[in-house]
Structures are given as C-alpha cells and as structure tokens.
Amino acid sequence: MAAFLVVILAAAVTFDVMIGGAWQASLRTEIERNLTQKTQLLGHRVETDRTHSLADIAAQEGQSAGARVTIIDPTGKVLADSEANPVRMENHATRPEFVAALAGKIGVNERRSATIGIPFLYIAVPVSGGAVRLAYPLSDVEAVAAQVRHRLALASGLAFLFALIVAAAAAHWSARRLERIVDVAARIAEGDLHARIKEPSQDEIGRVASAIDKTARQVEQSFAAVRSSQHQLETLLNSMQDAVIAVSADGLVQWANQPMNRLVPQGTRLQQPVVETIRDPDFLASVKQAANTHAVKTARATSIVYGRVFDVTAAPLPDGGAVAVLRDLTETERVEKTRRDFIANVSHELRTPLTSIQGYTETLLDSTLDNVASTREFLEIIRKNSSRMSRLTEDLLTLARVESGETRFDVESVPPAELLHDAEESFREIARTHGIDLQIQDLKPGDSSARDFLIQSLPPVLADREAIHQVFSNLIDNALKYGASGGRIVLGARSAPHAVEFFVQDFGAGIPSEHLARLFERFYRVDKARSRESGGTGLGLAIAKHIVMAHGGSIRAESELAHGSTFLFTLPSA
C-alpha cells in the first residue's frame, strides 16, 4: 500500500508540473508573438503617420494594445511615453531591448518593474530615427497560471483519491492471498506436509503458490523416502552384533541400536550426555577426537563392562558429532592369548633340552673319537639341526613378545643416518667375506659429501635403536642369503609424509610377484629347500614386520625378476 501511495503521488506531481509548465510556456510564447506583431505595427505607424504627434500615437496605441508605449531617439532619449512624462524619464539607451532595437534587431526582455513591482514583457523594434517599445504586464498571466494550477491540483486530488481506493482494494486482495500462502507455508514448516494452497490464478502470486505446492509435494515424497531409509537403517543396525551409538557435537546421545541398549546395564539415555551412558575414558576420548579432528579414531575400551574388551571405532558425522562402533574382542583376545601362551610355553619347554643336546654334541666333537669317521658326521648333523631349532625357538619367543606387546621399546629421537651407519658397520665385514659390497646409497656415485648431506637433511625418527637394528639385521641377512648373486647391497633412506622410509636393496635374482603379498607371514618361504639349507627359520620378516608396526610404521617389499629386491619400511618422524 505504501508503494502504491508513493507511485500515485509521484505520478500526480509529475503530471501537474509537466502540464502546468507546458501550458504556461505556451501562453507566454503566444503573448510574445502577439506583442511583437503589435510592436511592429506601432513602428510602422510611427514612420508613416505625419498627422499625429508622437505623444498622441503613443497614447492611442497604448490604449488599443493594452500595453505601455515608449518611443526613443537613437541616443536613448525618450521622445514619447503612454504613461509617463518623457521629460522626467531617464535615458533608455542601456535597456536590453532598446540596445537590440538600435542595433537593427527585435529586442525582447522580461523583468520586474522597479516602479510598480510587477513583471513586464518588453519588446522593441527599430524605426527611422530611433526605436519603439511595448511593455506588457505579466500579472494577468500569473493570475491565469495560478488558476490553472489550482484546477490541476483539484483534478490530481480527485484522481489520487480514486487511484487510492483502487490501490487499497488491490492491496487488500493481494494481502489476503499472500496471508493464505504464508499460513500454508507455516503449516508446512511445522511438519504438515499435506497442506496445500490451491491457488487457481496464474498471475505472479498464483505461480508462487503453485511453486510452493509443488515443493511441498516433493518434500513430502522425499521425507517418506527418508523415513523408509531410516527405518531400514535402524533395522540393519539393530540386527548387528556390534553396538552402535551416535553422539551430537555437544556430547549428547542422539541414537543407539539395540545391542548398545543391552550392553549398558542402565540402558542408553537419549538426549543426555554420553558420559551418563558410557564412562570409559578411552571411548570418550576417541569420540571427542573424531568429532574435533573430523577423522576416524580407534581405541580399546576395557571398563565399559567388567571383564570385557571392546574395539572402539569412532567416525565423524557431518553435523559435527561422531558415531562409534563397539566390537566385543573378549573372546578374540582370549583365543589370541591362548595361542601366544602356547607358543611361549612350547618354546620355553623346548629350549632347555635343545641347549643340552647342543652342549653335549659340542663336547663329543671336541673329544678324541676320530677312529669312527661317521661319528663326527652324525654329531655335526645333530649340532646343525639343534642350532637351527634353537634359533627357531628364540625367534618364536621374540615374535610372541613383540606381538603381545610384552616387549617394551625404548623409543627416542634418532637421526636416520645413525641407524644406517650402525647397520653398515655391523655387516660390512660379513658382506666382504661373502664377496658383496655393502654401502649406503649415494646421491652421486663416489660423492660421499653429497650422500652425507642427503642423509643429514632427513628429520629424526622415533625408534628403539636395538629393535630397528634387528630389523636391519633380518633384512640384510636375507639380502646376503638370497641376493648375493648381484654382488652389491644398498642401504638408504628418503623422506615420506610425516615419516622417513628406509630400504635395503639387493641386485640378485628377485622374487616372483605372486609371493610378495605373503613374504611377511610366519614360516612363509619362497624356496623352502634353499631356506632350510641356509638355516633360516622363516620368522625373520615376521619379526621385522611386528617391530616396525609397534613403532607406528609399515613395511613392504618390491621386486623384479633378474633385477633384485627392495625391502622398505617407514618410521614416524620425531
């Protein structure tokens, strides 16, 4: 309604100004044209009439024209005037209209009279011996213009009133339609997706109503699909064996499946702080970290239910919260512990008799029973096999301790160069006896300073020196056994994202690609006969794998037949 009022008022004012101004301009133009013609006739009479004096001509023409007549000579002296005594009048040579007339042109000027205070229109034309002028008062024009403006204002007021009534009716009608649209939109916002406007008109408001109805139908269909999907998801999650719980960004429980409700004695408390349902610190920390870092976090919870162990996987939700899955590992832990205990016990029981066998065999070898040639051969075989079984037992014990976490690593910040140099020094002589060149990779051949610069530029890593030395020992020992034909073994390190990657490379026969994925399994051998001949236990790579994993790194192997093999492992940067 306010917009209508502004538009109508602006239109009325503009109409009045344009019509009034145009009419007044037209009226003044007509007056100026008529007065010019009368002035020219006056000049013609002044030049041709010899029977009347200039004073009589001025009086007669002024009365007939309804204007003031003034006649001057070329010097500007007034010779005759219809309304004043020319003797008392000042010189008119400087008046704008006379200046133009004395120059041979028609002079026109409009100004307010200093004598009577009303505006006049002055028109002067040249004549022989001077110029003549008519002065027409414009007060009548202003009176007529005021009357016209009054009538225009009255007409505009009537038009404004009529337009106002029409605009009020249109605004009221549109407002009622819009209020109905707003009411239906509010019902839809409150959840009534069946609400419809049903506007039959096809104008702009009708198209808005149709668009809202269409949107409401689509939202209703989408909401039905979402509810169906939600029901399916709830059924799926409730059928899981694992417990699932969703937590909002402010730490409130949003949803939990049935296994979660059965897990906690007091049941899950929806829309309550998660700490009231689960008080395990590891679980709470993993959920909070997943929500804050927007990354998947894992943890192990042992205090949710007494005597049971759970693997917790917390993943971030789009709204800032997190969803956690709790997998019961109690039985798996029990079986795994039984297996580790079995290996440890068997290894412990075997170690004592094997040590005795090895000791007695060495004693017999040192005795003087040379008269029986086969005795030494048999005793040598016994010693060789007992040594192999002893190594196997030691490797089993080492693997069991590392895998179970029983072995505590003394992790510290270590420069990669020190780990590489320690490994090189330990195996340099052994490699030389096998005719193999063991070296640290150079940046440029023969450029030791460049090599040292490359190694020193790497960031320090978090590592247990002895444990990582054992990893290098197992990898270099394998390279000496199976890659000796290449004549060279290269150690090195390079930068990786948030870590440093070490490698041991040989140039031997290589490993077929189908074996690479299983190299780090216990007792897995590519060539079983050759492995046994070399005295390997089949556990070296498995031990190396678990040591590296305990450091938070990873290990892998790359190989190409006839081009050697490369074993690579990473350690996190300090």
Side-chain angles (χ1 to χ4, degrees):
M1 187 64 184
F4 285 166
L5 290 177
V6 172
V7 172
I8 295 171
L9 184 60
V13 172
T14 303
F15 180 81
D16 287 357
V17 171
M18 292 181 64
I19 294 298
W23 180 87
Q24 191 170 357
S26 175
L27 179 61
R28 293 199 177 203
T29 301
E30 183 64 20
I31 292 174
E32 181 179 338
R33 184 174 62 82
N34 291 334
L35 193 62
T36 300
Q37 292 178 355
K38 291 179 180 181
T39 306
Q40 290 174 340
L41 291 175
L42 172 63
H44 178 73
R45 183 179 177 183
V46 169
E47 289 182 340
T48 59
D49 190 349
R50 303 300 180 190
T51 61
H52 295 86
S53 65
L54 293 178
D56 294 337
I57 294 174
Q60 294 173 4
E61 292 296 328
Q63 185 176 4
S64 64
R68 180 179 179 179
V69 177
T70 304
I71 305 172
I72 65 171
D73 63 8
T75 64
K77 179 181 177 182
V78 178
L79 300 177
D81 188 275
S82 62
E83 296 181 8
N85 186 358
V87 177
R88 298 178 181 178
M89 296 179 65
E90 61 183 3
N91 191 288
H92 282 44
T94 58
R95 305 294 171 88
E97 65 276 6
F98 279 128
V99 172
L102 294 176
K105 301 177 182 178
I106 298 177
V108 180
N109 188 32
E110 180 181 340
R111 63 181 178 272
R112 186 171 296 273
S113 173
T115 305
I116 59 178
I118 61 174
F120 279 83
L121 176 62
Y122 298 94
I123 296 180
V125 298
V127 296
S128 300
V132 298
R133 182 186 74 179
L134 285 181
Y136 184 81
L138 295 179
S139 57
D140 295 337
V141 175
E142 291 183 346
V144 173
Q147 185 178 6
V148 170
R149 283 196 299 270
H150 176 71
R151 292 188 177 183
L152 284 176
L154 180 60
S156 297
L158 293 175
F160 178 80
L161 181 61
F162 176 77
L164 186 62
I165 295 173
V166 174
H172 180 69
W173 179 63
S174 299
R176 291 186 60 185
R177 297 172 66 193
L178 290 173
E179 285 174 359
R180 194 165 78 247
I181 293 176
V182 171
D183 291 340
V184 173
R187 290 170 56 191
I188 294 175
E190 292 173 358
D192 183 9
L193 299 181
H194 300 289
R196 297 293 184 271
I197 302 173
K198 297 180 181 179
E199 175 67 42
S201 177
Q202 294 300 317
D203 60 0
E204 290 81 1
I205 296 179
R207 291 199 296 271
V208 170
S210 299
I212 292 178
D213 286 348
K214 182 178 179 181
T215 302
R217 284 191 295 268
Q218 293 178 347
V219 170
E220 184 179 11
Q221 296 172 359
S222 301
F223 188 74
V226 168
R227 292 186 63 180
S228 177
S229 300
Q230 182 180 8
H231 180 70
Q232 294 176 2
L233 179 61
E234 289 180 358
T235 303
L236 174 64
L237 293 175
N238 287 328
S239 65
M240 293 175 57
Q241 296 297 323
D242 299 334
V244 181
I245 184 171
V247 183
S248 64
D250 52 359
L252 302 181
V253 177
Q254 290 182 320
W255 186 86
N257 64 351
Q258 292 179 0
M260 186 72 230
N261 291 326
R262 293 192 297 265
L263 181 63
V264 291
Q266 71 276 16
T268 305
R269 301 178 181 178
L270 298 180
Q271 301 305 322
Q272 297 297 321
V274 66
V275 69
E276 295 183 7
T277 300
I278 300 177
R279 292 184 172 86
D280 185 86
D282 296 325
F283 168 84
L284 297 175
S286 63
V287 171
K288 184 176 181 180
Q289 291 176 4
N292 293 338
T293 63
H294 302 286
V296 177
K297 298 295 180 181
T298 59
R300 179 160 296 191
T302 58
S303 59
I304 296 178
V305 179
Y306 178 77
R308 296 173 67 179
V309 180
F310 294 89
D311 180 46
V312 180
T313 302
L317 290 175
D319 60 356
V323 60
V325 179
L326 288 78
R327 173 163 296 180
D328 193 348
L329 298 179
T330 306
E331 185 63 21
T332 304
E333 289 280 341
R334 188 190 64 80
V335 173
E336 186 67 16
K337 185 176 184 303
T338 301
R339 184 187 65 82
R340 290 197 301 267
D341 291 345
F342 171 78
I343 294 175
N345 291 335
V346 169
S347 300
H348 181 73
E349 293 297 329
L350 286 175
R351 183 166 55 181
T352 300
L354 286 173
T355 302
S356 300
I357 292 173
Q358 185 176 0
Y360 281 112
T361 303
E362 291 175 353
T363 302
L364 289 173
L365 288 173
D366 292 337
S367 65
T368 58
L369 298 177
D370 297 335
N371 54 341
V372 183
S374 60
T375 301
R376 177 171 293 276
E377 179 182 353
F378 293 153
L379 291 176
E380 183 64 30
I381 293 174
I382 292 172
R383 188 187 65 81
K384 180 179 179 181
N385 282 275
S386 63
S387 298
R388 181 177 176 276
M389 293 181 68
S390 179
R391 290 195 301 272
L392 174 61
T393 305
E394 292 295 335
D395 286 350
L396 281 172
L397 284 172
T398 301
L399 181 59
R401 293 192 187 102
V402 173
E403 189 177 8
S404 65
E406 181 181 346
T407 300
R408 299 297 179 183
F409 295 110
D410 184 15
V411 177
E412 59 180 337
S413 178
V414 184
E418 293 185 10
L419 297 175
L420 291 172
H421 286 304
D422 289 346
E424 180 192 26
E425 291 177 1
S426 298
F427 282 87
R428 184 187 301 141
E429 293 302 325
I430 299 176
R432 187 175 300 170
T433 59
H434 285 75
I436 298 174
D437 180 23
L438 176 65
Q439 59 182 223
I440 298 176
Q441 185 185 48
D442 292 342
L443 186 63
K444 298 178 181 178
D447 188 356
S448 60
S449 61
R451 175 197 67 189
D452 292 338
F453 174 76
L454 175 64
I455 296 173
Q456 295 297 334
S457 65
L458 294 174
V461 296
L462 294 174
D464 183 304
R465 292 175 181 266
E466 295 298 328
I468 299 304
H469 185 75
Q470 185 176 0
V471 173
F472 272 116
S473 298
N474 290 340
L475 298 181
I476 295 174
D477 184 63
N478 276 1
L480 291 173
K481 291 177 181 177
Y482 307 112
S485 59
R488 184 162 63 99
I489 297 175
V490 176
L491 311 180
R494 57 196 174 200
S495 180
H498 308 294
V500 173
E501 187 175 59
F502 298 85
F503 61 87
V504 177
Q505 182 180 12
D506 66 66
F507 300 87
I511 302 172
S513 59
E514 63 269 18
H515 295 288
L516 293 177
R518 301 189 60 190
L519 282 179
F520 299 95
E521 295 180 7
R522 299 178 184 87
F523 303 111
Y524 187 81
R525 297 180 175 89
V526 177
D527 187 346
K528 295 182 179 180
R530 184 178 177 186
S531 178
R532 289 194 181 96
E533 290 176 2
S534 63
T537 64
L539 296 173
L541 292 180
I543 293 173
K545 171 187 173 182
H546 284 282
I547 291 176
V548 172
M549 290 176 61
H551 280 74
S554 62
I555 190 168
R556 60 191 174 91
E558 298 176 353
S559 182
E560 185 178 351
L561 289 177
H563 291 82
S565 305
T566 304
F567 287 82
L568 309 98
F569 66 92
T570 61
L571 294 177
S573 300

